């Protein structure tokens, strides 16, 4: 590997790793342990002779063995458990295995299999990972967080209260697994250093009766706490995290419908934070929409959007589209919102509907809808949208009549049925393409096989690839950019820049039968582009705190790549314990280690 002009950076991933431990302590440290791949020199230097079989193997050989072991597991949940065990032993091998088999293993390490693991958290539990904070022991929050490192040790925190997990609802303390899964994706997809992340769950109880009646359930056995006490608990976490880890980016994940947007709106003006359900879904969806509009020779400023399903995801998408329209046209958000209609169970949202704060922005004046019913079909007939998005979880809601009505007024309708799991999709791609004679530009919330039909020149059969609106092509790159530039805030312009970064890499821009979004196998390159655009926007907005950020695209990309963690075995360099870093002493992501307890108390007290 050639030397980079940025190899002096603290997060550079070149050169040897300092190590002050040896023997079984080293082998029990996932970021040092490389098992049978330790060289003969390392085995002698770090007192590993006699602790390992004699044969020295390569990472590639280890990956082959691990894949064979993985393949023997009888089902996806067992495979998920195997991967978790591997991660606890050897971080490099774990991520290398995932990287080499990303397309195959993505659904095992994340949705839908991670949802099964979360539901079975208390039954599959072997050892804890992450920070468990208890609403009934609020005074301990600063102490419990302080155990996870010094101020510069943590770059990225994912926190969940477990109320609305992956479409399976309230999972209580099992929410810790969605925090760990998201952090796996930030490393896998964007090279965020795995030792510098922290998964957190806020245990507020649960309203899931199955968990409350399960004698093995590991969380607080009480109804979910809400109201003032809940808000105080969240604030105690946020303020403690900011005080203890002032450079960390906070990612809120799978909070309940009534809290997700409210919490984000409260803290967003103050700290660098992000909610993937609100903003990530909106960003990746907008990227697909922008690619679809480009393919169909339409402009964002001319968009008329109908969103069916006005919950957290639907309103989050509407927000991102509104912000992008406002940015492109140079108009207010209120004015941009006039191009977006939200439809929920009662029908199109009007000013006389029961509305939450997020929905209120998009409600149309009731007087403008007099004499019409409020159904989705009536909305399509009245609005003539060129983009239709589904987040309703109402199966087959996009009927043939609705789709043909839409297609009658726009040459290439952009239709995105996003509800998960697959059985809840508003329509399947094969029907959408059939009903529009292959003209629809489609992306979905779950993977679908390509669709074949007679839609080519002179009725020639063509195969159309279907994009999956997977947040993982957006949120890791946003987080990477925010971490590297040490952003004070995550602004609207930074998110719009991220969207444009993804949309610019759409395969459909070169071939309209290709997917609207890049696939997960391209995600690391996508994350570099997203991080680049986010950092450029942050510099323009004046919210960066990192110094000497390169100002050309080429240098900025090299600067980003130099700091992205890769699953490779770097040489170990022996250093003395006295004066060694916490990383060298095997203390990163370790609680109750050699750190002086008085030092920790001083940090908690301020």
């Amino acid at each position: 590997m050639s030397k980079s002009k940025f190899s002096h950076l603290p997060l550079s991933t070149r050169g040897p790793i300092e190590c002050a431990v040896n023997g079984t302590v080293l082998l029990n440290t996932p970021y040092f342990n490389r098992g049978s791949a330790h060289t003969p020199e390392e085995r002698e230097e770090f007192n590993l002779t006699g602790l390992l079989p004699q044969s020295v193997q390569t990472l590639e050989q280890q990956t082959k063995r691990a894949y064979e072991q993985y393949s023997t597991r009888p089902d996806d949940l067992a495979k998920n458990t195997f991967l978790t065990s591997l991660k606890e032993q050897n971080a490099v091998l774990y991520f290398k295995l995932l990287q080499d088999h990303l397309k195959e293993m993505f659904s095992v390490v994340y949705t839908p299999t991670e949802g099964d693991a979360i539901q079975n958290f208390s039954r599959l539990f072997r050892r804890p990972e992450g920070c468990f904070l208890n609403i009934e022991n609020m005074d301990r929050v600063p102490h419990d967080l302080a155990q996870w490192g010094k101020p510069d040790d943590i770059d990225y925190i994912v926190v969940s209260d477990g109320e609305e997990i992956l479409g399976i609802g309230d999972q209580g303390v099992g929410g810790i697994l969605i925090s760990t899964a998201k952090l796996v994706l930030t490393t896998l997809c964007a090279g965020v250093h795995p030792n510098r992340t922290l998964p957190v769950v806020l245990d507020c109880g649960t309203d899931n009766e199955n968990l409350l009646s399960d004698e093995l359930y590991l969380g607080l056995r009480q109804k979910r706490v809400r109201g003032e006490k809940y808000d105080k608990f969240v604030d105690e976490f946020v303020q403690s995290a900011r005080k203890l880890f002032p450079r960390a980016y906070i990612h809120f994940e799978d909070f309940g419908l009534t809290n997700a947007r409210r919490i984000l709106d409260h803290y967003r003006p103050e700290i660098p934070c992000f909610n993937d359900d609100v903003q990530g879904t909106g960003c990746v969806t907008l990227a697909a929409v922008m690619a679809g509009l480009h393919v169909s020779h339409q402009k964002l400023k001319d968009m008329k959007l109908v969103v069916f399903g006005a919950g957290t995801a639907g309103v989050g998408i509407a927000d991102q589209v509104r912000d992008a329209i406002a940015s492109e046209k140079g108009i207010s958000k209120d004015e941009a919102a006039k191009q977006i209609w939200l439809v929920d169970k009662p029908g199109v949202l009007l000013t006389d509907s029961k509305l939450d704060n997020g929905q209120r922005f998009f409600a149309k004046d009731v007087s403008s809808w007099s004499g019409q019913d409020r159904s989705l079909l009536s909305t399509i007939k009245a609005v003539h949208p060129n983009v239709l998005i589904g987040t309703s979880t109402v199966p087959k809601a996009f009927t043939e009549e609705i789709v043909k009505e839409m297609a009658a007024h726009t040459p290439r309708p952009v239709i995105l049925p996003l509800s998960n799991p697959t059985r809840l999709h508003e329509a399947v791609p094969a029907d959408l393409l059939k009903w529009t004679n292959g003209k629809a530009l489609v992306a979905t919330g779950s993977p679908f096989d390509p669709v074949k039909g007679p839609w080519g020149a002179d009725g020639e059969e063509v195969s159309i690839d279907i994009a999956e609106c997977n947040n993982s092509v957006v949120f890791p790159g946003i987080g990477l950019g925010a971490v590297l530039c040490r952003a004070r805030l995550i602004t609207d312009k930074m998110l719009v820049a991220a969207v444009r970064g993804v949309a610019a890499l759409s395969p459909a821009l070169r071939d309209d039968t290709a997917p609207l979004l890049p696939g997960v196998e391209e995600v690391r390159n996508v994350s570099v582009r997203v991080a680049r655009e986010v950092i450029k926007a942050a510099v323009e907005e004046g919210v960066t705190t990192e110094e000497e950020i390169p100002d050309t695209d080429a240098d900025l990309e090299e600067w980003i790549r130099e700091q992205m963690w890769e699953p490779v075995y770097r040489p170990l360099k022996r250093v003395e314990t006295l004066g060694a870093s916490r990383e060298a002493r095997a203390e990163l992501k370790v609680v109750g280690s050699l750190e002086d307890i008085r030092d920790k108390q001083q940090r908690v007290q301020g």
Side-chain angles (χ1 to χ4, degrees):
M1 183 183 292
S2 59
K3 186 175 177 64
S4 167
K5 59 185 171 184
F6 300 116
S7 58
H8 63 283
L9 295 169
L11 293 181
S12 171
T13 53
R14 295 169 190 257
I17 303 173
E18 294 186 347
C19 179
V21 297
N22 57 46
T24 54
V25 174
L26 187 155
L27 295 178
N28 288 331
T29 304
Y31 61 85
F32 283 147
N33 177 39
R34 51 203 62 180
S36 61
H38 280 288
T39 65
E41 294 78 16
E42 286 176 348
R43 295 180 185 213
E44 290 193 13
E45 180 75 14
F46 294 95
N47 200 25
L48 303 176
T49 56
L51 299 178
L52 294 167
Q54 296 307 306
S55 178
V56 176
Q57 297 187 310
T58 65
L59 177 57
E60 288 68 29
Q61 289 173 314
Q62 290 181 314
T63 305
K64 180 181 179 181
R65 179 192 295 113
Y67 183 68
E68 289 177 355
Q69 293 170 344
Y70 169 90
S71 300
T72 65
R73 297 319 191 252
D75 55 48
D76 284 349
L77 185 56
K79 290 175 178 177
N80 177 283
T81 303
F82 168 81
L83 290 171
T84 298
S85 177
L86 181 60
K87 180 175 64 169
E88 293 168 351
Q89 299 170 53
N90 184 330
V92 169
L93 178 55
Y94 168 77
F95 282 106
K96 176 65 173 173
L97 178 65
L98 289 179
Q99 191 177 81
D100 285 358
H101 302 276
L102 182 56
K103 195 166 185 178
E104 175 186 352
M105 294 183 179
F106 193 90
S107 63
V108 174
V109 79
Y110 191 51
T111 181
T113 309
E114 188 65 19
D116 295 336
I118 292 168
Q119 286 182 299
N120 288 280
F121 171 72
S122 294
R123 295 183 174 274
L124 296 176
F125 181 82
R126 294 180 180 177
R127 59 183 297 178
E129 180 181 5
C131 184
F132 297 78
L133 300 178
N134 177 354
I135 196 169
E136 301 300 345
N137 208 355
M138 211 179 299
D139 291 343
R140 297 281 297 183
V141 168
H143 168 276
D144 293 348
L145 280 172
Q147 298 184 98
W148 291 93
K150 301 287 185 70
D152 290 338
D153 286 346
I154 302 295
D155 290 333
Y156 199 125
I157 298 171
V158 176
V159 59
S160 178
D161 72 353
E163 187 174 5
E164 196 60 48
I165 302 287
L166 293 174
I168 56 176
D170 189 342
Q171 299 299 319
V173 76
I176 189 65
L177 292 188
I178 195 61
S179 296
T180 58
K182 285 289 186 177
L183 287 172
V184 165
L185 296 186
T186 65
T187 298
L188 186 64
C189 300
V192 172
H193 289 235
N195 300 331
R196 302 181 59 81
T197 64
L198 178 60
V200 178
V201 65
L202 305 180
D203 191 351
C204 307
T206 179
D207 292 335
N208 185 327
E209 292 295 339
N210 290 332
L211 296 180
L212 291 173
S213 61
D214 184 351
E215 65 178 2
L216 295 180
Y217 177 59
L218 290 167
L220 279 175
R221 201 177 298 276
Q222 64 183 42
K223 287 287 189 179
R224 186 171 282 276
V225 175
R226 303 186 185 277
E228 184 178 346
K229 184 175 180 180
Y230 173 86
D231 289 345
K232 184 180 178 183
F233 183 42
V234 173
D235 192 63
E236 185 67 36
F237 159 73
V238 171
Q239 301 307 331
S240 297
R242 291 298 294 161
K243 181 178 180 181
L244 293 164
F245 310 116
R247 290 157 64 89
Y249 166 88
I250 297 178
H251 172 141
F252 296 108
E253 183 68 28
D254 285 346
F255 282 71
L257 180 62
T258 58
N259 293 319
R261 173 171 298 279
R262 184 175 63 85
I263 291 171
L264 179 66
D265 289 345
H266 179 76
Y267 291 107
R268 196 177 173 212
E270 303 173 5
I271 65 171
C273 63
F274 179 83
N275 185 304
D276 192 40
D277 308 291
V278 176
Q279 297 166 297
T281 300
C283 284
V284 72
T285 304
L286 177 55
V289 168
M290 290 176 69
L293 293 175
H294 187 92
V295 170
S296 58
H297 307 293
Q298 301 178 82
K299 300 292 185 182
L300 185 64
K301 63 184 179 66
D302 301 320
M303 184 195 302
K304 288 194 286 185
L305 167 66
V306 171
V307 180
F308 182 51
T312 301
V315 176
I317 291 166
D319 282 346
Q320 295 301 325
V321 173
R322 175 202 64 202
D323 293 350
I325 292 172
S327 175
E328 179 158 305
K329 295 177 71 171
I331 59 177
S332 70
K333 292 184 179 182
D334 285 336
E335 191 66 23
K338 293 178 181 178
Q339 296 176 223
I340 301 168
W341 288 258
L342 299 185
V343 183
D344 213 48
K345 292 176 183 177
V348 64
L349 296 187
L350 305 177
T351 49
D352 68 344
S353 305
K354 185 178 179 180
L355 305 167
D356 63 29
N357 288 336
Q359 296 167 336
R360 195 166 288 115
F361 232 124
F362 302 97
K364 308 307 177 191
D365 194 302
V366 65
S367 63
S368 68
W369 216 263
S370 58
Q372 304 175 70
D373 72 60
R374 303 187 181 192
S375 69
L376 176 60
L377 177 60
S378 293
T379 305
I380 298 295
K381 288 181 176 180
V383 172
H384 295 165
N386 51 2
V387 180
L388 173 62
I389 296 172
T391 58
S392 67
T393 68
V394 179
K396 301 181 180 179
F398 296 169
T399 64
E400 182 174 1
E401 183 180 11
I402 286 172
V403 172
K404 286 187 171 180
E405 174 64 29
M406 180 184 179
H409 302 282
T410 185
R412 299 294 304 271
V414 179
I415 306 178
L416 280 61
L418 301 181
S419 293
N420 278 320
T422 305
R423 60 183 172 79
L424 300 181
H425 265 37
E426 289 80 6
V428 297
D431 285 341
L432 296 174
L433 289 163
K434 176 183 175 183
W435 297 334
T436 61
N437 293 316
K439 298 296 185 183
L441 295 160
V442 180
T444 57
S446 296
F448 278 87
D449 292 332
V451 178
K452 293 182 179 180
W455 308 307
D458 301 321
E460 178 187 355
E461 184 175 84
V462 294
S463 179
I464 297 177
D465 291 321
I466 307 301
E468 179 186 0
C469 275
N470 189 320
N471 292 19
S472 301
V473 301
V474 175
F475 84 81
I478 293 173
L480 175 66
V483 165
L484 294 185
C485 75
R486 303 297 174 183
R488 292 186 292 105
L489 302 170
I490 308 301
T491 67
D492 290 343
K493 286 187 177 180
M494 291 164 69
L495 297 180
V496 171
V499 170
R500 294 189 185 280
V502 175
L505 297 176
S506 166
L509 301 185
R510 301 181 298 275
D511 175 1
D512 67 1
T513 67
L516 292 175
L517 294 170
V520 293
E521 62 273 12
E522 298 294 327
V523 72
R524 283 183 78 93
N525 289 330
V526 175
S527 291
V528 172
R529 174 66 72 90
V530 170
R532 187 189 83 183
E533 297 305 314
V534 165
I535 292 169
K536 288 166 62 177
V539 170
E540 185 180 329
E541 294 271 84
V543 297
T544 63
T545 61
E546 186 65 38
E547 297 179 356
E548 299 182 359
I549 296 172
D551 54 10
T552 69
D553 284 356
D555 281 351
L556 184 52
E557 286 202 11
E558 183 182 346
W559 185 81
I560 292 166
R561 289 184 186 278
E562 180 64 25
Q563 300 178 83
M564 291 172 67
W565 187 87
E566 295 275 359
V568 296
Y569 288 143
R570 295 162 60 191
L572 296 181
K573 178 184 177 182
R574 177 76 181 181
V575 295
E576 295 302 318
T577 303
L578 186 63
S581 67
R582 294 188 74 248
E583 179 182 28
R585 299 199 307 266
E587 293 179 6
L588 291 187
K589 305 196 85 169
V590 173
V591 170
S593 59
L594 301 176
E595 180 185 8
D596 188 338
I597 192 66
R598 291 171 299 180
D599 178 65
K600 183 179 71 175
Q601 290 172 340
Q602 289 171 0
R603 290 191 295 113
V604 170
Q605 294 164 3

